[in-house]
Amino acid sequence: MTSLLDVVGELSRAQKPSAGTPAYSRFVNRRIGRVFAAAAFLVGRTPNQVSLASGFCSLVGIVLVATVRPSVTLAVAVTALLLLGYGLDSADGQLARLRGGGSPLGEWLDHMIDAVKIVLLHSAVLISFYRFDAFSNELVLLVPLGYVCMSSVLFFGLILIDQLRRRHGGVPKPNERGDSVVKSLLIAPTDYGVLCLVFLTFAWPSVFAVLYGALLAANLLFLGAAIAKWYREMALLAPGVRG
């Protein structure tokens, strides 16, 4: 009889390449997702069911952010729910590979849940700041508003560049070896898992705002660098089409 450890071992041998993956996703979330995927496989769940469970956990955490006054209990509960949702988000793809491959519906559902999640989470922070009068200076409200805009642009950019690479046979990614761990650590601030962990400080608005703002700044730098890289890559695919 197949055990949980057997399935986890099989998933470990079938992992996607780790180079260029942010640290939390690479070293923590994929392993959590592996266990969730193995458990879901053993009880006969489908990838789409896991995706919906991921979205539900994230949505409950987001609603709590927007509706409940910040406290230590809230901070721990929200962090746990967001991280659980993120772990299940990793599990659905791994479960799909275990079952022989994903489907267009599964890919669409996964992306739609991610798109909704990133917009609602930062909107919930904005609502919380405003509703519970966390700060006397209303300019702080621009931070979650900026995060909504940045996250939406980055998410769209990542999806679009992936589709264009598939369609046009884009420039192959470099084969990263020894520096891949260093890169994973350097781009850790862009990891959704790190953002989830910052909510552990949600009971202390000033501390949370500093860390949250620092992550926004880091992500804006990453987005700027990514846009420049994508532009150069796309220009190589069709030189001379646009001036």
Side-chain angles (χ1 to χ4, degrees), residues 100-149:
S103 66
L105 173 60
E107 186 174 2
W108 174 84
L109 181 63
D110 186 45
H111 289 328
M112 284 301 298
I113 290 173
D114 286 342
V116 172
K117 176 176 67 180
I118 60 175
V119 171
L120 289 185
L121 179 58
H122 301 299
S123 299
V125 173
L126 176 61
I127 293 169
S128 179
F129 282 179
Y130 179 79
R131 184 178 182 191
F132 299 111
D133 296 319
F135 301 95
S136 58
N137 188 345
E138 292 186 352
L139 288 177
V140 178
L141 300 179
L142 294 176
V143 178
L145 180 60
Y147 230 134
V148 170
C149 299

Side-chain angles (χ1 to χ4, degrees), residues 138-162:
E138 292 186 352
L139 288 177
V140 178
L141 300 179
L142 294 176
V143 178
L145 180 60
Y147 230 134
V148 170
C149 299
M150 183 281 302
S151 297
S152 298
V153 172
L154 180 58
F155 182 79
F156 176 79
L158 288 168
I159 297 299
L160 179 61
I161 198 70
D162 182 58

Side-chain angles (χ1 to χ4, degrees), residues 55-69 74 78 81-82 117 120-125 127-128 131-132 199 202:
F56 176 77
C57 292
S58 299
L59 181 61
V60 173
I62 291 167
V63 169
L64 289 176
V65 169
T67 59
V68 179
R69 183 174 294 276
L74 176 68
V78 166
L81 285 164
L82 294 179
K117 176 176 67 180
L120 289 185
L121 179 58
H122 301 299
S123 299
V125 173
I127 293 169
S128 179
R131 184 178 182 191
F132 299 111
F199 277 87
F202 200 59

Side-chain angles (χ1 to χ4, degrees), residues 8-16 94 97-98:
V8 169
E10 183 177 344
L11 284 169
S12 299
R13 293 186 290 272
Q15 284 293 294
K16 295 189 297 185
Q94 298 190 59
R97 288 194 295 276
L98 195 60

Side-chain angles (χ1 to χ4, degrees), residues 8-30:
V8 169
E10 183 177 344
L11 284 169
S12 299
R13 293 186 290 272
Q15 284 293 294
K16 295 189 297 185
S18 296
T21 304
Y24 181 88
S25 291
R26 177 176 180 177
F27 300 114
V28 180
N29 201 56
R30 281 189 178 179

